[in-house]
Amino acid sequence: MTVTLTVNGKTQRVDADPETPLLYVLRDHLELNGAKYGCGVGQCGACTVMVDGEAVLSCVTPVLLLEGRRVTTVEGLGTPEKLGPMQQAFIEEQAAQCGYCIPGMMMRAQALLQANPKVDEAAVRAHLEPNLCRCGTHMRIIKAVMRAGEMMQQNSRNGGAS
Ligand code: FES
Ligand code: FES
């Protein structure tokens, strides 16, 4: 089966079994290795990406559901030359230890802040609940997300992108 989807702003035609998880399509077909395989059964959040602005667990999302939809991965949040606010904030707060959970954390947080960058800490904590970090860097991750929200608000006041 051929599925046409948009990944990080680029149209992609993927030839795969319809039940293939989106995570495998991203990593094996499109060489986008930001999203991680953690549990493979929807329980850790390491594979989180955005689909049409919503956080989605790509390990349990069959590619057949992605026809015509817009997928964003951590690679789509910015470039090495021009980091996006979420990427910049995670670096500034040194939020990663081993880093394995971080792309998923960033994408779940991005979905929250894209809808409303003006969030309080309680909302960030609640929203990130499905994503696990085995290194225990939660406090720094939450600080990074709060900082990203401030940067996005600043950018929108300046007429920039989020
Ligand atoms: S790898 Fe998808 S939720 Fe764990
Ligand atoms: S930084 Fe290691 S799992 Fe989160």
Side-chain angles (χ1 to χ4, degrees), residues 95-102 105 132-138 141:
Q97 189 163 318
C98 80
Y100 205 81
C101 71
I102 297 297
M105 291 283 187
L132 308 181
C133 172
R134 298 190 67 162
C135 298
T137 64
H138 303 84
I141 289 169

Side-chain angles (χ1 to χ4, degrees), residues 11-70:
T11 303
Q12 301 279 5
R13 285 169 62 82
V14 176
D15 198 13
D17 184 284
E19 293 299 326
T20 308
L22 171 61
L23 179 62
Y24 299 176
V25 168
L26 293 171
R27 295 179 60 87
D28 301 340
H29 293 246
L30 303 178
E31 298 181 358
L32 291 167
N33 294 316
K36 298 289 184 275
Y37 183 98
C39 64
V41 290
Q43 291 187 353
C44 74
C47 64
T48 307
V49 299
M50 286 198 311
V51 176
D52 293 338
E54 301 284 335
V56 162
L57 299 173
S58 63
C59 72
V60 289
T61 304
V63 70
L64 70 95
L65 300 181
L66 278 304
E67 178 66 41
R69 304 191 66 185
R70 242 175 345 107

